[in-house]
């Protein structure tokens, strides 16, 4: 299985910025897409942004213009630059990676999740 290690969460004031990172590790894997989800207290987990293997990105309407997802393929790391943070951005942010793992002719799909990192935005 592919493991994901997240970092960068914390407490910031309204309008502040944070940069989340997520590094994928394991053996014999190829990532097709990575993304960030978030879950606020009492709410369902929602997709924030994704980046695909060809570099194409998507972002939720609620974060467009404020959040930017990027990647460093050499480091198997995805980033989420969060600017102009609002209290409603407060949530646990989870990294997700999807792709293939295995060796030889024995490849299978994987869907891995990070442990989550807390982002809290105060006024």
């Amino acid at each position: 299985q592919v493991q994901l290690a997240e970092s960068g969460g914390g407490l910031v004031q309204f309008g502040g910025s944070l940069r989340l990172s997520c590094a994928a590790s394991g053996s014999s894997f190829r990532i097709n897409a990575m993304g960030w989800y978030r879950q606020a207290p009492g709410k369902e987990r929602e997709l924030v942004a994704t980046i695909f293997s060809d570099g194409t990105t998507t972002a939720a309407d609620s974060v467009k213009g404020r959040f930017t997802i990027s990647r460093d393929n050499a480091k198997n790391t995805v980033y989420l630059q969060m600017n102009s943070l609002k209290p409603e951005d407060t949530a646990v942010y989870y990294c997700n990676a999807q792709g293939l793992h295995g060796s030889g002719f024995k490849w299978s799909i994987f869907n891995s999740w990070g442990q989550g990192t807390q982002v809290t935005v105060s006024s």
Side-chain angles (χ1 to χ4, degrees):
Q1 190 66 204
V2 177
Q3 286 74 48
L4 304 178
E6 298 158 298
S7 63
L11 173 64
V12 297
Q13 293 185 350
F14 179 88
S17 298
L18 284 173
R19 189 191 191 199
L20 307 183
S21 64
C22 173
S25 63
S27 61
S28 302
F29 67 92
R30 175 179 294 171
I31 295 174
N32 296 130
M34 297 187 73
W36 290 94
Y37 290 73
R38 68 185 181 186
Q39 187 166 24
K43 296 184 178 180
E44 296 182 357
R45 186 172 299 186
E46 64 174 341
L47 177 63
V48 177
T50 57
I51 185 165
F52 299 92
S53 59
D54 64 356
T56 302
T57 62
T58 66
D61 289 340
S62 60
V63 305
K64 285 183 178 178
R66 300 188 299 119
F67 293 9
T68 302
I69 189 169
S70 62
R71 67 181 183 182
D72 185 335
N73 290 337
K75 299 179 179 179
N76 285 320
T77 300
V78 65
Y79 305 93
L80 185 67
Q81 179 66 47
M82 306 187 297
N83 299 324
S84 301
L85 284 162
K86 306 174 181 179
E88 51 262 43
D89 295 319
T90 295
V92 177
Y93 284 70
Y94 297 91
C95 180
N96 173 260
Q98 301 176 44
L100 300 172
H101 69 94
S103 63
F105 297 104
K106 307 298 182 183
W107 290 82
S108 61
I109 193 168
F110 72 85
N111 184 14
S112 297
W113 291 89
Q115 78 286 350
T117 183
Q118 177 70 48
V119 172
T120 302
V121 185
S122 63
S123 59

